[in-house]
Amino acid sequence: MTVDAISLEVFRRLFAAIAEEMGAVLGRTALSPNIKERRDFSCAVFDATGRILAQAEHIPVHLGAMPASVQAAIERFDTFEPGDLIALNDPYLGGTHLPDLTLISPVFIPEGVEGGDADPLAGFVATRAHHADVGGMAPGSMPASTTIYQEGFIIPPIRLARGGTLNEEAVELFMSNVRTPEERRGDLAAQIAANRIGEGRYEALITRYGWQTVTEHGEALIDYAERLVRAALRDIPAGQYSFEDDMEPPIPGTERPRIAVTITSDGDGSLTVDFTGTSPEQSLSNINAVRAVTVSAVQYCVRCLAGSRAPANHGSFASVEVITPEGSLVNPRPPRAVAAGNVETSQRIVDVVFGALADVLPQQIPAASQGTMNNVTIGGTDPRTGQPFAYYETLAGGVGASPDGPGESAIHSHMTNTLNTPIEALEYQYPFRVLEYGVRRGSGGEGQFQGGDGLVRTVEFLGDATVSLLTERRSRGAWGLVGGAAGAPGRNTLRRMDSDRDDELPATVTIDVSRGDRLTIETPGGGGWGVPGSPP
């Protein structure tokens, strides 16, 4: 088969279908609501050198960082054999944060297919899923931490299975360090099943079309993606464009961490994205974003500029250089805490990259979206069963308005792509009651086009528990553009059972609650676009 426009599109869909089917298996067989209901997972396909060939439409922050995990596995092991499974969650080796467990499977050219004699390794498939608890100082493994050791069980690249035989001792070691081992077993089994499906589909693709054809189309797709992205980036005039934004202080009264970026375009379709000037790592905070997360956020922005026509593979990012000063907020040194870097700092990185390009691409760049994932973890002992539980969720908010119209309300945006957990699933699975869940009307920024509204959720606890919140945009709202107003900041409050008032909580906090206490999360609105009252 020769490579032409039709065969290229066919193979683009064939590679992507492997990742999509892996995701379907993982979502339908997982045990925890975070994975089976919210779809907090991602799947991707790689070639033998670790270059990404295709990804499903899952979580942007996962997908951009996964290639670094595959490279870490390749560097760690000299050889692979059929049936191997590599597991890791170390953020400093391509992970995002410790709850995100990555499983990598090598794929081999099937026997009898020409081309596998010299090197039978064809590539890899990988899944990444957020496990609702991986140990650490607080249930849910997303505490107000100051070092990574407080955040949970760290797994470097290890062989979880060798030749198809699961390493039960490694599994038991992991299960002995988490609060909800049965749920973890169920989610781990779902990931393994998804990887095995991916292996089989990849091998079937090679068997059907031949190794040479598959390889040629993989290379052609990478080249095609690079050409499309370079063409899109040529719309950025030659020059340097800078922007900066800050985050909530790690503790009240301290300096606000700053993320600064300078984007250099030569007008030839290549970019240099330089974060020099960003705050140094924060020793009292967990908002440090490892380099893989920072690169992932930049790649997401590039994908937005390129549009859906460009395949999401290695070629999409070949023309972008990312500079992250070592020891900074966007490239910390271990053992800095990083739990919120993946979920909060990644969102701010997107804001500053888009902010830098807003003046030169006025018809493409939207106002800032909510700028946070509003992370909520709740854990303790379920009084209904006497068993430990760990709940995790990110809450949606407002999307920034754009030249095309108003922002969407109460949806996940930018670096997250999860669903909202149904109230019925929450109340069935966990010991709390949802008293309010709706759109936070009027929280979007005013403008010619209104920013999207956030949401509000109030839960009442049916037993004692520990709550951890990792949130942003609580003191300053998401910025507007072209005269549009900022969105309303978010707000976290707690009303104790014996109180008649709501006590405001910090943006980041770990706190104990009692039966009858009520927690309310009001998420930020998106920024407005254009001067209010201006004609469309």
Side-chain angles (χ1 to χ4, degrees), residues 53-86:
L53 291 175
Q55 54 186 241
E57 295 181 358
H58 291 154
I59 313 296
V61 74
H62 287 178
L63 293 163
M66 284 172 74
S69 290
V70 175
Q71 288 297 334
I74 292 173
E75 292 172 8
R76 171 66 178 82
F77 300 103
D78 295 329
T79 60
F80 301 94
E81 58 182 284
D84 282 359
L85 271 174
I86 310 303

PDB file of all heavy atoms in Angstrom, residues 53-86:
ATOM      1  N   LEU A  53       1.843   8.225  18.604  1.00  0.00           N
ATOM      2  CA  LEU A  53       1.222   8.095  17.287  1.00  0.00           C
ATOM      3  C   LEU A  53      -0.222   8.552  17.289  1.00  0.00           C
ATOM      4  O   LEU A  53      -0.721   9.088  16.299  1.00  0.00           O
ATOM      5  CB  LEU A  53       1.283   6.638  16.805  1.00  0.00           C
ATOM      6  CG  LEU A  53       2.660   6.090  16.441  1.00  0.00           C
ATOM      7  CD1 LEU A  53       2.556   4.606  16.096  1.00  0.00           C
ATOM      8  CD2 LEU A  53       3.263   6.861  15.270  1.00  0.00           C
ATOM      9  N   ALA A  54      -0.916   8.294  18.385  1.00  0.00           N
ATOM     10  CA  ALA A  54      -2.330   8.662  18.463  1.00  0.00           C
ATOM     11  C   ALA A  54      -2.756   8.656  19.917  1.00  0.00           C
ATOM     12  O   ALA A  54      -2.171   7.970  20.759  1.00  0.00           O
ATOM     13  CB  ALA A  54      -3.198   7.688  17.667  1.00  0.00           C
ATOM     14  N   GLN A  55      -3.780   9.433  20.206  1.00  0.00           N
ATOM     15  CA  GLN A  55      -4.353   9.472  21.547  1.00  0.00           C
ATOM     16  C   GLN A  55      -5.855   9.600  21.430  1.00  0.00           C
ATOM     17  O   GLN A  55      -6.371  10.134  20.444  1.00  0.00           O
ATOM     18  CB  GLN A  55      -3.767  10.635  22.346  1.00  0.00           C
ATOM     19  CG  GLN A  55      -3.899  11.981  21.663  1.00  0.00           C
ATOM     20  CD  GLN A  55      -3.197  13.107  22.373  1.00  0.00           C
ATOM     21  OE1 GLN A  55      -3.820  14.070  22.800  1.00  0.00           O
ATOM     22  NE2 GLN A  55      -1.876  12.999  22.482  1.00  0.00           N
ATOM     23  N   ALA A  56      -6.544   9.094  22.439  1.00  0.00           N
ATOM     24  CA  ALA A  56      -7.990   9.291  22.490  1.00  0.00           C
ATOM     25  C   ALA A  56      -8.277  10.702  23.006  1.00  0.00           C
ATOM     26  O   ALA A  56      -7.401  11.378  23.539  1.00  0.00           O
ATOM     27  CB  ALA A  56      -8.630   8.235  23.396  1.00  0.00           C
ATOM     28  N   GLU A  57      -9.503  11.142  22.854  1.00  0.00           N
ATOM     29  CA  GLU A  57      -9.877  12.481  23.303  1.00  0.00           C
ATOM     30  C   GLU A  57     -10.185  12.426  24.795  1.00  0.00           C
ATOM     31  O   GLU A  57     -11.335  12.534  25.226  1.00  0.00           O
ATOM     32  CB  GLU A  57     -11.060  13.009  22.491  1.00  0.00           C
ATOM     33  CG  GLU A  57     -10.708  13.225  21.019  1.00  0.00           C
ATOM     34  CD  GLU A  57     -11.878  13.766  20.226  1.00  0.00           C
ATOM     35  OE1 GLU A  57     -12.964  13.926  20.811  1.00  0.00           O
ATOM     36  OE2 GLU A  57     -11.703  14.019  19.029  1.00  0.00           O
ATOM     37  N   HIS A  58      -9.139  12.288  25.581  1.00  0.00           N
ATOM     38  CA  HIS A  58      -9.276  12.130  27.023  1.00  0.00           C
ATOM     39  C   HIS A  58      -8.770  13.375  27.744  1.00  0.00           C
ATOM     40  O   HIS A  58      -9.220  14.471  27.468  1.00  0.00           O
ATOM     41  CB  HIS A  58      -8.560  10.848  27.461  1.00  0.00           C
ATOM     42  CG  HIS A  58      -9.228   9.606  26.982  1.00  0.00           C
ATOM     43  ND1 HIS A  58      -8.570   8.393  26.783  1.00  0.00           N
ATOM     44  CD2 HIS A  58     -10.515   9.357  26.650  1.00  0.00           C
ATOM     45  CE1 HIS A  58      -9.415   7.474  26.361  1.00  0.00           C
ATOM     46  NE2 HIS A  58     -10.603   8.037  26.268  1.00  0.00           N
ATOM     47  N   ILE A  59      -7.817  13.258  28.680  1.00  0.00           N
ATOM     48  CA  ILE A  59      -7.400  14.359  29.543  1.00  0.00           C
ATOM     49  C   ILE A  59      -6.142  15.015  28.966  1.00  0.00           C
ATOM     50  O   ILE A  59      -5.085  14.378  28.904  1.00  0.00           O
ATOM     51  CB  ILE A  59      -7.115  13.867  30.968  1.00  0.00           C
ATOM     52  CG1 ILE A  59      -8.249  12.963  31.466  1.00  0.00           C
ATOM     53  CG2 ILE A  59      -6.892  15.053  31.906  1.00  0.00           C
ATOM     54  CD1 ILE A  59      -9.584  13.629  31.600  1.00  0.00           C
ATOM     55  N   PRO A  60      -6.194  16.295  28.564  1.00  0.00           N
ATOM     56  CA  PRO A  60      -5.017  16.922  27.956  1.00  0.00           C
ATOM     57  C   PRO A  60      -3.758  16.871  28.808  1.00  0.00           C
ATOM     58  O   PRO A  60      -2.660  16.616  28.295  1.00  0.00           O
ATOM     59  CB  PRO A  60      -5.483  18.372  27.730  1.00  0.00           C
ATOM     60  CG  PRO A  60      -6.961  18.262  27.540  1.00  0.00           C
ATOM     61  CD  PRO A  60      -7.387  17.173  28.480  1.00  0.00           C
ATOM     62  N   VAL A  61      -3.875  17.109  30.124  1.00  0.00           N
ATOM     63  CA  VAL A  61      -2.669  17.123  30.954  1.00  0.00           C
ATOM     64  C   VAL A  61      -2.044  15.739  31.058  1.00  0.00           C
ATOM     65  O   VAL A  61      -0.829  15.595  31.192  1.00  0.00           O
ATOM     66  CB  VAL A  61      -2.971  17.710  32.349  1.00  0.00           C
ATOM     67  CG1 VAL A  61      -3.753  16.736  33.210  1.00  0.00           C
ATOM     68  CG2 VAL A  61      -1.685  18.141  33.041  1.00  0.00           C
ATOM     69  N   HIS A  62      -2.850  14.676  30.989  1.00  0.00           N
ATOM     70  CA  HIS A  62      -2.311  13.312  30.972  1.00  0.00           C
ATOM     71  C   HIS A  62      -1.562  13.060  29.671  1.00  0.00           C
ATOM     72  O   HIS A  62      -0.434  12.579  29.659  1.00  0.00           O
ATOM     73  CB  HIS A  62      -3.447  12.290  31.072  1.00  0.00           C
ATOM     74  CG  HIS A  62      -4.089  12.179  32.408  1.00  0.00           C
ATOM     75  ND1 HIS A  62      -5.150  11.348  32.645  1.00  0.00           N
ATOM     76  CD2 HIS A  62      -3.816  12.779  33.583  1.00  0.00           C
ATOM     77  CE1 HIS A  62      -5.521  11.442  33.907  1.00  0.00           C
ATOM     78  NE2 HIS A  62      -4.726  12.319  34.494  1.00  0.00           N
ATOM     79  N   LEU A  63      -2.232  13.372  28.572  1.00  0.00           N
ATOM     80  CA  LEU A  63      -1.736  12.953  27.266  1.00  0.00           C
ATOM     81  C   LEU A  63      -0.439  13.644  26.886  1.00  0.00           C
ATOM     82  O   LEU A  63       0.454  13.035  26.297  1.00  0.00           O
ATOM     83  CB  LEU A  63      -2.810  13.207  26.216  1.00  0.00           C
ATOM     84  CG  LEU A  63      -4.065  12.324  26.378  1.00  0.00           C
ATOM     85  CD1 LEU A  63      -5.238  12.894  25.591  1.00  0.00           C
ATOM     86  CD2 LEU A  63      -3.778  10.898  25.961  1.00  0.00           C
ATOM     87  N   GLY A  64      -0.320  14.911  27.238  1.00  0.00           N
ATOM     88  CA  GLY A  64       0.907  15.611  26.900  1.00  0.00           C
ATOM     89  C   GLY A  64       2.106  15.133  27.687  1.00  0.00           C
ATOM     90  O   GLY A  64       3.255  15.247  27.235  1.00  0.00           O
ATOM     91  N   ALA A  65       1.861  14.596  28.891  1.00  0.00           N
ATOM     92  CA  ALA A  65       2.956  14.149  29.745  1.00  0.00           C
ATOM     93  C   ALA A  65       3.301  12.675  29.561  1.00  0.00           C
ATOM     94  O   ALA A  65       4.397  12.245  29.939  1.00  0.00           O
ATOM     95  CB  ALA A  65       2.606  14.410  31.214  1.00  0.00           C
ATOM     96  N   MET A  66       2.397  11.890  29.000  1.00  0.00           N
ATOM     97  CA  MET A  66       2.633  10.448  28.897  1.00  0.00           C
ATOM     98  C   MET A  66       3.871  10.061  28.094  1.00  0.00           C
ATOM     99  O   MET A  66       4.547   9.091  28.434  1.00  0.00           O
ATOM    100  CB  MET A  66       1.390   9.748  28.344  1.00  0.00           C
ATOM    101  CG  MET A  66       0.282   9.618  29.378  1.00  0.00           C
ATOM    102  SD  MET A  66      -1.271   8.991  28.684  1.00  0.00           S
ATOM    103  CE  MET A  66      -0.875   7.271  28.436  1.00  0.00           C
ATOM    104  N   PRO A  67       4.213  10.771  27.010  1.00  0.00           N
ATOM    105  CA  PRO A  67       5.443  10.395  26.300  1.00  0.00           C
ATOM    106  C   PRO A  67       6.682  10.389  27.184  1.00  0.00           C
ATOM    107  O   PRO A  67       7.578   9.559  27.004  1.00  0.00           O
ATOM    108  CB  PRO A  67       5.543  11.445  25.194  1.00  0.00           C
ATOM    109  CG  PRO A  67       4.133  11.840  24.927  1.00  0.00           C
ATOM    110  CD  PRO A  67       3.469  11.819  26.283  1.00  0.00           C
ATOM    111  N   ALA A  68       6.738  11.294  28.170  1.00  0.00           N
ATOM    112  CA  ALA A  68       7.892  11.317  29.072  1.00  0.00           C
ATOM    113  C   ALA A  68       7.929  10.066  29.937  1.00  0.00           C
ATOM    114  O   ALA A  68       9.011   9.556  30.260  1.00  0.00           O
ATOM    115  CB  ALA A  68       7.850  12.571  29.949  1.00  0.00           C
ATOM    116  N   SER A  69       6.772   9.544  30.304  1.00  0.00           N
ATOM    117  CA  SER A  69       6.725   8.295  31.071  1.00  0.00           C
ATOM    118  C   SER A  69       7.181   7.117  30.224  1.00  0.00           C
ATOM    119  O   SER A  69       7.891   6.228  30.706  1.00  0.00           O
ATOM    120  CB  SER A  69       5.302   8.043  31.589  1.00  0.00           C
ATOM    121  OG  SER A  69       4.963   8.953  32.600  1.00  0.00           O
ATOM    122  N   VAL A  70       6.760   7.078  28.966  1.00  0.00           N
ATOM    123  CA  VAL A  70       7.197   5.991  28.078  1.00  0.00           C
ATOM    124  C   VAL A  70       8.707   6.063  27.879  1.00  0.00           C
ATOM    125  O   VAL A  70       9.400   5.032  27.892  1.00  0.00           O
ATOM    126  CB  VAL A  70       6.444   6.071  26.729  1.00  0.00           C
ATOM    127  CG1 VAL A  70       6.987   5.031  25.754  1.00  0.00           C
ATOM    128  CG2 VAL A  70       4.945   5.849  26.951  1.00  0.00           C
ATOM    129  N   GLN A  71       9.249   7.270  27.713  1.00  0.00           N
ATOM    130  CA  GLN A  71      10.698   7.405  27.578  1.00  0.00           C
ATOM    131  C   GLN A  71      11.412   6.939  28.842  1.00  0.00           C
ATOM    132  O   GLN A  71      12.477   6.309  28.774  1.00  0.00           O
ATOM    133  CB  GLN A  71      11.059   8.867  27.284  1.00  0.00           C
ATOM    134  CG  GLN A  71      10.694   9.331  25.885  1.00  0.00           C
ATOM    135  CD  GLN A  71      11.448   8.580  24.794  1.00  0.00           C
ATOM    136  OE1 GLN A  71      12.541   8.061  25.008  1.00  0.00           O
ATOM    137  NE2 GLN A  71      10.843   8.512  23.612  1.00  0.00           N
ATOM    138  N   ALA A  72      10.837   7.235  30.018  1.00  0.00           N
ATOM    139  CA  ALA A  72      11.440   6.780  31.272  1.00  0.00           C
ATOM    140  C   ALA A  72      11.477   5.265  31.337  1.00  0.00           C
ATOM    141  O   ALA A  72      12.449   4.663  31.825  1.00  0.00           O
ATOM    142  CB  ALA A  72      10.664   7.352  32.460  1.00  0.00           C
ATOM    143  N   ALA A  73      10.435   4.610  30.851  1.00  0.00           N
ATOM    144  CA  ALA A  73      10.403   3.146  30.832  1.00  0.00           C
ATOM    145  C   ALA A  73      11.439   2.588  29.861  1.00  0.00           C
ATOM    146  O   ALA A  73      12.127   1.601  30.162  1.00  0.00           O
ATOM    147  CB  ALA A  73       9.008   2.662  30.457  1.00  0.00           C
ATOM    148  N   ILE A  74      11.565   3.208  28.689  1.00  0.00           N
ATOM    149  CA  ILE A  74      12.546   2.745  27.705  1.00  0.00           C
ATOM    150  C   ILE A  74      13.963   2.883  28.262  1.00  0.00           C
ATOM    151  O   ILE A  74      14.810   1.995  28.083  1.00  0.00           O
ATOM    152  CB  ILE A  74      12.386   3.542  26.389  1.00  0.00           C
ATOM    153  CG1 ILE A  74      11.048   3.196  25.720  1.00  0.00           C
ATOM    154  CG2 ILE A  74      13.548   3.260  25.440  1.00  0.00           C
ATOM    155  CD1 ILE A  74      10.728   4.050  24.514  1.00  0.00           C
ATOM    156  N   GLU A  75      14.236   3.989  28.951  1.00  0.00           N
ATOM    157  CA  GLU A  75      15.567   4.205  29.520  1.00  0.00           C
ATOM    158  C   GLU A  75      15.844   3.274  30.698  1.00  0.00           C
ATOM    159  O   GLU A  75      16.994   2.913  30.945  1.00  0.00           O
ATOM    160  CB  GLU A  75      15.697   5.664  29.957  1.00  0.00           C
ATOM    161  CG  GLU A  75      15.699   6.644  28.793  1.00  0.00           C
ATOM    162  CD  GLU A  75      15.627   8.089  29.255  1.00  0.00           C
ATOM    163  OE1 GLU A  75      15.727   8.309  30.488  1.00  0.00           O
ATOM    164  OE2 GLU A  75      15.466   8.988  28.407  1.00  0.00           O
ATOM    165  N   ARG A  76      14.798   2.878  31.399  1.00  0.00           N
ATOM    166  CA  ARG A  76      14.978   2.038  32.589  1.00  0.00           C
ATOM    167  C   ARG A  76      15.258   0.588  32.221  1.00  0.00           C
ATOM    168  O   ARG A  76      16.057  -0.094  32.875  1.00  0.00           O
ATOM    169  CB  ARG A  76      13.727   2.132  33.466  1.00  0.00           C
ATOM    170  CG  ARG A  76      13.668   1.149  34.630  1.00  0.00           C
ATOM    171  CD  ARG A  76      14.746   1.430  35.656  1.00  0.00           C
ATOM    172  NE  ARG A  76      14.650   0.520  36.789  1.00  0.00           N
ATOM    173  CZ  ARG A  76      15.138  -0.721  36.816  1.00  0.00           C
ATOM    174  NH1 ARG A  76      15.783  -1.186  35.750  1.00  0.00           N
ATOM    175  NH2 ARG A  76      15.013  -1.478  37.879  1.00  0.00           N
ATOM    176  N   PHE A  77      14.638   0.082  31.161  1.00  0.00           N
ATOM    177  CA  PHE A  77      14.746  -1.339  30.821  1.00  0.00           C
ATOM    178  C   PHE A  77      15.437  -1.520  29.473  1.00  0.00           C
ATOM    179  O   PHE A  77      15.095  -0.868  28.491  1.00  0.00           O
ATOM    180  CB  PHE A  77      13.362  -1.987  30.797  1.00  0.00           C
ATOM    181  CG  PHE A  77      12.646  -1.910  32.123  1.00  0.00           C
ATOM    182  CD1 PHE A  77      11.634  -0.981  32.331  1.00  0.00           C
ATOM    183  CD2 PHE A  77      12.994  -2.754  33.171  1.00  0.00           C
ATOM    184  CE1 PHE A  77      10.983  -0.894  33.555  1.00  0.00           C
ATOM    185  CE2 PHE A  77      12.344  -2.686  34.393  1.00  0.00           C
ATOM    186  CZ  PHE A  77      11.346  -1.745  34.586  1.00  0.00           C
ATOM    187  N   ASP A  78      16.369  -2.452  29.453  1.00  0.00           N
ATOM    188  CA  ASP A  78      17.114  -2.721  28.222  1.00  0.00           C
ATOM    189  C   ASP A  78      16.271  -3.473  27.210  1.00  0.00           C
ATOM    190  O   ASP A  78      16.388  -3.253  26.000  1.00  0.00           O
ATOM    191  CB  ASP A  78      18.385  -3.520  28.535  1.00  0.00           C
ATOM    192  CG  ASP A  78      19.362  -2.730  29.386  1.00  0.00           C
ATOM    193  OD1 ASP A  78      19.384  -1.489  29.263  1.00  0.00           O
ATOM    194  OD2 ASP A  78      20.099  -3.354  30.173  1.00  0.00           O
ATOM    195  N   THR A  79      15.467  -4.395  27.694  1.00  0.00           N
ATOM    196  CA  THR A  79      14.665  -5.231  26.793  1.00  0.00           C
ATOM    197  C   THR A  79      13.252  -5.376  27.342  1.00  0.00           C
ATOM    198  O   THR A  79      13.002  -5.192  28.534  1.00  0.00           O
ATOM    199  CB  THR A  79      15.279  -6.638  26.653  1.00  0.00           C
ATOM    200  OG1 THR A  79      15.330  -7.263  27.951  1.00  0.00           O
ATOM    201  CG2 THR A  79      16.671  -6.568  26.054  1.00  0.00           C
ATOM    202  N   PHE A  80      12.357  -5.696  26.428  1.00  0.00           N
ATOM    203  CA  PHE A  80      10.970  -6.002  26.779  1.00  0.00           C
ATOM    204  C   PHE A  80      10.614  -7.336  26.153  1.00  0.00           C
ATOM    205  O   PHE A  80      11.237  -7.777  25.181  1.00  0.00           O
ATOM    206  CB  PHE A  80      10.017  -4.919  26.268  1.00  0.00           C
ATOM    207  CG  PHE A  80      10.294  -3.543  26.801  1.00  0.00           C
ATOM    208  CD1 PHE A  80      11.092  -2.650  26.084  1.00  0.00           C
ATOM    209  CD2 PHE A  80       9.758  -3.133  28.006  1.00  0.00           C
ATOM    210  CE1 PHE A  80      11.349  -1.374  26.562  1.00  0.00           C
ATOM    211  CE2 PHE A  80      10.013  -1.863  28.502  1.00  0.00           C
ATOM    212  CZ  PHE A  80      10.808  -0.987  27.781  1.00  0.00           C
ATOM    213  N   GLU A  81       9.580  -7.974  26.697  1.00  0.00           N
ATOM    214  CA  GLU A  81       9.086  -9.199  26.103  1.00  0.00           C
ATOM    215  C   GLU A  81       7.569  -9.173  26.112  1.00  0.00           C
ATOM    216  O   GLU A  81       6.952  -8.418  26.883  1.00  0.00           O
ATOM    217  CB  GLU A  81       9.604 -10.425  26.855  1.00  0.00           C
ATOM    218  CG  GLU A  81       9.253 -10.460  28.333  1.00  0.00           C
ATOM    219  CD  GLU A  81       9.852 -11.675  29.023  1.00  0.00           C
ATOM    220  OE1 GLU A  81       9.301 -12.772  28.824  1.00  0.00           O
ATOM    221  OE2 GLU A  81      10.858 -11.525  29.736  1.00  0.00           O
ATOM    222  N   PRO A  82       6.923  -9.974  25.260  1.00  0.00           N
ATOM    223  CA  PRO A  82       5.461  -9.977  25.216  1.00  0.00           C
ATOM    224  C   PRO A  82       4.873 -10.270  26.591  1.00  0.00           C
ATOM    225  O   PRO A  82       5.354 -11.131  27.316  1.00  0.00           O
ATOM    226  CB  PRO A  82       5.142 -11.094  24.223  1.00  0.00           C
ATOM    227  CG  PRO A  82       6.340 -11.151  23.330  1.00  0.00           C
ATOM    228  CD  PRO A  82       7.511 -10.861  24.215  1.00  0.00           C
ATOM    229  N   GLY A  83       3.821  -9.536  26.942  1.00  0.00           N
ATOM    230  CA  GLY A  83       3.166  -9.735  28.229  1.00  0.00           C
ATOM    231  C   GLY A  83       3.693  -8.851  29.334  1.00  0.00           C
ATOM    232  O   GLY A  83       3.138  -8.838  30.437  1.00  0.00           O
ATOM    233  N   ASP A  84       4.767  -8.084  29.078  1.00  0.00           N
ATOM    234  CA  ASP A  84       5.293  -7.175  30.098  1.00  0.00           C
ATOM    235  C   ASP A  84       4.302  -6.032  30.364  1.00  0.00           C
ATOM    236  O   ASP A  84       3.563  -5.595  29.470  1.00  0.00           O
ATOM    237  CB  ASP A  84       6.621  -6.567  29.650  1.00  0.00           C
ATOM    238  CG  ASP A  84       7.796  -7.524  29.815  1.00  0.00           C
ATOM    239  OD1 ASP A  84       7.573  -8.642  30.302  1.00  0.00           O
ATOM    240  OD2 ASP A  84       8.921  -7.135  29.455  1.00  0.00           O
ATOM    241  N   LEU A  85       4.312  -5.556  31.598  1.00  0.00           N
ATOM    242  CA  LEU A  85       3.577  -4.361  31.981  1.00  0.00           C
ATOM    243  C   LEU A  85       4.505  -3.497  32.834  1.00  0.00           C
ATOM    244  O   LEU A  85       5.033  -3.973  33.842  1.00  0.00           O
ATOM    245  CB  LEU A  85       2.336  -4.702  32.808  1.00  0.00           C
ATOM    246  CG  LEU A  85       1.007  -4.970  32.097  1.00  0.00           C
ATOM    247  CD1 LEU A  85      -0.025  -5.421  33.120  1.00  0.00           C
ATOM    248  CD2 LEU A  85       0.517  -3.714  31.383  1.00  0.00           C
ATOM    249  N   ILE A  86       4.724  -2.270  32.435  1.00  0.00           N
ATOM    250  CA  ILE A  86       5.541  -1.339  33.214  1.00  0.00           C
ATOM    251  C   ILE A  86       4.601  -0.368  33.923  1.00  0.00           C
ATOM    252  O   ILE A  86       3.706   0.202  33.301  1.00  0.00           O
ATOM    253  CB  ILE A  86       6.520  -0.562  32.314  1.00  0.00           C
ATOM    254  CG1 ILE A  86       7.296  -1.519  31.395  1.00  0.00           C
ATOM    255  CG2 ILE A  86       7.453   0.287  33.160  1.00  0.00           C
ATOM    256  CD1 ILE A  86       8.066  -2.590  32.114  1.00  0.00           C
TER     257      ILE A  86
END
